mmCIF file of all heavy atoms in Angstrom:
data_model
loop_
_atom_site.group_PDB
_atom_site.id
_atom_site.type_symbol
_atom_site.label_atom_id
_atom_site.label_comp_id
_atom_site.label_asym_id
_atom_site.label_seq_id
_atom_site.Cartn_x
_atom_site.Cartn_y
_atom_site.Cartn_z
ATOM 1 N N PHE K 96 3.007 16.355 1.816
ATOM 2 C CA PHE K 96 2.038 15.780 0.890
ATOM 3 C C PHE K 96 2.279 14.288 0.703
ATOM 4 O O PHE K 96 1.339 13.490 0.704
ATOM 5 C CB PHE K 96 2.091 16.504 -0.462
ATOM 6 C CG PHE K 96 1.685 17.940 -0.378
ATOM 7 C CD1 PHE K 96 2.635 18.948 -0.357
ATOM 8 C CD2 PHE K 96 0.348 18.288 -0.301
ATOM 9 C CE1 PHE K 96 2.262 20.283 -0.269
ATOM 10 C CE2 PHE K 96 -0.044 19.618 -0.212
ATOM 11 C CZ PHE K 96 0.924 20.609 -0.194
ATOM 12 N N PHE K 97 3.541 13.902 0.552
ATOM 13 C CA PHE K 97 3.860 12.481 0.380
ATOM 14 C C PHE K 97 3.572 11.703 1.661
ATOM 15 O O PHE K 97 3.123 10.562 1.618
ATOM 16 C CB PHE K 97 5.326 12.321 -0.018
ATOM 17 C CG PHE K 97 5.685 10.921 -0.432
ATOM 18 C CD1 PHE K 97 5.124 10.350 -1.565
ATOM 19 C CD2 PHE K 97 6.578 10.163 0.307
ATOM 20 C CE1 PHE K 97 5.450 9.060 -1.947
ATOM 21 C CE2 PHE K 97 6.909 8.878 -0.074
ATOM 22 C CZ PHE K 97 6.343 8.325 -1.203
ATOM 23 N N LYS K 98 3.799 12.323 2.804
ATOM 24 C CA LYS K 98 3.522 11.658 4.082
ATOM 25 C C LYS K 98 2.022 11.458 4.303
ATOM 26 O O LYS K 98 1.614 10.526 5.001
ATOM 27 C CB LYS K 98 4.109 12.483 5.239
ATOM 28 C CG LYS K 98 5.627 12.533 5.248
ATOM 29 C CD LYS K 98 6.132 13.432 6.362
ATOM 30 C CE LYS K 98 7.643 13.528 6.360
ATOM 31 N NZ LYS K 98 8.143 14.442 7.417
ATOM 32 N N MET K 99 1.204 12.314 3.702
ATOM 33 C CA MET K 99 -0.245 12.182 3.834
ATOM 34 C C MET K 99 -0.812 11.081 2.948
ATOM 35 O O MET K 99 -1.943 10.620 3.176
ATOM 36 C CB MET K 99 -0.924 13.512 3.469
ATOM 37 C CG MET K 99 -0.675 14.636 4.453
ATOM 38 S SD MET K 99 -1.165 16.240 3.767
ATOM 39 C CE MET K 99 -2.882 15.923 3.344
ATOM 40 N N LYS K 100 -0.059 10.652 1.958
ATOM 41 C CA LYS K 100 -0.574 9.690 0.982
ATOM 42 C C LYS K 100 -1.084 8.400 1.614
ATOM 43 O O LYS K 100 -2.200 7.949 1.281
ATOM 44 C CB LYS K 100 0.505 9.411 -0.067
ATOM 45 C CG LYS K 100 0.055 8.538 -1.231
ATOM 46 C CD LYS K 100 0.261 7.054 -1.007
ATOM 47 C CE LYS K 100 1.706 6.691 -0.801
ATOM 48 N NZ LYS K 100 1.878 5.247 -0.521
ATOM 49 N N PRO K 101 -0.361 7.742 2.547
ATOM 50 C CA PRO K 101 -0.908 6.521 3.152
ATOM 51 C C PRO K 101 -2.232 6.764 3.871
ATOM 52 O O PRO K 101 -3.137 5.919 3.813
ATOM 53 C CB PRO K 101 0.195 6.086 4.133
ATOM 54 C CG PRO K 101 1.444 6.682 3.583
ATOM 55 C CD PRO K 101 1.017 7.995 3.005
ATOM 56 N N THR K 102 -2.350 7.903 4.548
ATOM 57 C CA THR K 102 -3.604 8.216 5.238
ATOM 58 C C THR K 102 -4.760 8.224 4.253
ATOM 59 O O THR K 102 -5.821 7.625 4.502
ATOM 60 C CB THR K 102 -3.517 9.589 5.923
ATOM 61 O OG1 THR K 102 -2.456 9.571 6.869
ATOM 62 C CG2 THR K 102 -4.819 9.932 6.616
ATOM 63 N N ILE K 103 -4.576 8.886 3.125
ATOM 64 C CA ILE K 103 -5.654 9.017 2.149
ATOM 65 C C ILE K 103 -6.018 7.674 1.534
ATOM 66 O O ILE K 103 -7.204 7.326 1.419
ATOM 67 C CB ILE K 103 -5.251 10.032 1.066
ATOM 68 C CG1 ILE K 103 -5.138 11.427 1.692
ATOM 69 C CG2 ILE K 103 -6.261 10.038 -0.082
ATOM 70 C CD1 ILE K 103 -4.517 12.458 0.800
ATOM 71 N N ILE K 104 -5.006 6.881 1.173
ATOM 72 C CA ILE K 104 -5.315 5.595 0.540
ATOM 73 C C ILE K 104 -5.986 4.646 1.521
ATOM 74 O O ILE K 104 -6.915 3.922 1.181
ATOM 75 C CB ILE K 104 -4.069 4.956 -0.097
ATOM 76 C CG1 ILE K 104 -4.502 3.828 -1.034
ATOM 77 C CG2 ILE K 104 -3.084 4.441 0.934
ATOM 78 C CD1 ILE K 104 -3.410 3.303 -1.932
ATOM 79 N N TYR K 105 -5.573 4.688 2.791
ATOM 80 C CA TYR K 105 -6.215 3.814 3.781
ATOM 81 C C TYR K 105 -7.648 4.254 4.047
ATOM 82 O O TYR K 105 -8.532 3.412 4.233
ATOM 83 C CB TYR K 105 -5.400 3.782 5.069
ATOM 84 C CG TYR K 105 -4.088 3.044 4.935
ATOM 85 C CD1 TYR K 105 -2.931 3.517 5.557
ATOM 86 C CD2 TYR K 105 -3.994 1.883 4.178
ATOM 87 C CE1 TYR K 105 -1.725 2.842 5.424
ATOM 88 C CE2 TYR K 105 -2.798 1.212 4.036
ATOM 89 C CZ TYR K 105 -1.666 1.689 4.661
ATOM 90 O OH TYR K 105 -0.481 1.021 4.533
ATOM 91 N N LEU K 106 -7.896 5.551 4.059
ATOM 92 C CA LEU K 106 -9.263 6.033 4.242
ATOM 93 C C LEU K 106 -10.150 5.667 3.053
ATOM 94 O O LEU K 106 -11.326 5.316 3.218
ATOM 95 C CB LEU K 106 -9.273 7.547 4.456
ATOM 96 C CG LEU K 106 -8.743 8.039 5.804
ATOM 97 C CD1 LEU K 106 -8.721 9.565 5.837
ATOM 98 C CD2 LEU K 106 -9.579 7.493 6.966
ATOM 99 N N ILE K 107 -9.591 5.726 1.851
ATOM 100 C CA ILE K 107 -10.349 5.340 0.663
ATOM 101 C C ILE K 107 -10.767 3.878 0.741
ATOM 102 O O ILE K 107 -11.927 3.521 0.514
ATOM 103 C CB ILE K 107 -9.528 5.604 -0.613
ATOM 104 C CG1 ILE K 107 -9.430 7.111 -0.881
ATOM 105 C CG2 ILE K 107 -10.154 4.893 -1.819
ATOM 106 C CD1 ILE K 107 -8.495 7.469 -2.015
ATOM 107 N N PHE K 108 -9.815 3.014 1.093
ATOM 108 C CA PHE K 108 -10.138 1.592 1.145
ATOM 109 C C PHE K 108 -11.059 1.260 2.307
ATOM 110 O O PHE K 108 -11.946 0.405 2.179
ATOM 111 C CB PHE K 108 -8.861 0.759 1.177
ATOM 112 C CG PHE K 108 -8.277 0.566 -0.189
ATOM 113 C CD1 PHE K 108 -7.271 1.395 -0.653
ATOM 114 C CD2 PHE K 108 -8.763 -0.407 -1.033
ATOM 115 C CE1 PHE K 108 -6.757 1.243 -1.923
ATOM 116 C CE2 PHE K 108 -8.255 -0.579 -2.310
ATOM 117 C CZ PHE K 108 -7.249 0.246 -2.765
ATOM 118 N N ALA K 109 -10.891 1.931 3.443
ATOM 119 C CA ALA K 109 -11.813 1.721 4.551
ATOM 120 C C ALA K 109 -13.223 2.130 4.140
ATOM 121 O O ALA K 109 -14.210 1.437 4.447
ATOM 122 C CB ALA K 109 -11.367 2.517 5.777
ATOM 123 N N GLY K 110 -13.339 3.262 3.438
ATOM 124 C CA GLY K 110 -14.637 3.725 2.975
ATOM 125 C C GLY K 110 -15.272 2.775 1.977
ATOM 126 O O GLY K 110 -16.474 2.485 2.051
ATOM 127 N N LEU K 111 -14.479 2.263 1.034
ATOM 128 C CA LEU K 111 -15.010 1.330 0.042
ATOM 129 C C LEU K 111 -15.472 0.025 0.694
ATOM 130 O O LEU K 111 -16.524 -0.523 0.339
ATOM 131 C CB LEU K 111 -13.955 1.042 -1.025
ATOM 132 C CG LEU K 111 -13.647 2.184 -1.993
ATOM 133 C CD1 LEU K 111 -12.478 1.826 -2.889
ATOM 134 C CD2 LEU K 111 -14.884 2.515 -2.835
ATOM 135 N N LEU K 112 -14.687 -0.462 1.647
ATOM 136 C CA LEU K 112 -15.075 -1.699 2.331
ATOM 137 C C LEU K 112 -16.327 -1.484 3.178
ATOM 138 O O LEU K 112 -17.205 -2.350 3.224
ATOM 139 C CB LEU K 112 -13.917 -2.201 3.201
ATOM 140 C CG LEU K 112 -12.687 -2.702 2.427
ATOM 141 C CD1 LEU K 112 -11.557 -3.030 3.392
ATOM 142 C CD2 LEU K 112 -13.036 -3.924 1.586
ATOM 143 N N GLY K 113 -16.405 -0.323 3.841
ATOM 144 C CA GLY K 113 -17.606 -0.014 4.605
ATOM 145 C C GLY K 113 -18.827 0.096 3.714
ATOM 146 O O GLY K 113 -19.912 -0.393 4.067
ATOM 147 N N LEU K 114 -18.653 0.700 2.552
ATOM 148 C CA LEU K 114 -19.764 0.825 1.612
ATOM 149 C C LEU K 114 -20.214 -0.542 1.107
ATOM 150 O O LEU K 114 -21.412 -0.800 0.958
ATOM 151 C CB LEU K 114 -19.350 1.712 0.437
ATOM 152 C CG LEU K 114 -20.408 1.964 -0.644
ATOM 153 C CD1 LEU K 114 -21.623 2.660 -0.043
ATOM 154 C CD2 LEU K 114 -19.809 2.798 -1.780
#
Side-chain angles (χ1 to χ4, degrees):
F96 296 101
F97 189 65
K98 293 176 182 178
M99 291 166 56
K100 186 270 299 177
T102 300
I103 294 170
I104 194 168
Y105 290 141
L106 288 176
I107 288 173
F108 278 96
L111 289 173
L112 292 174
L114 181 61

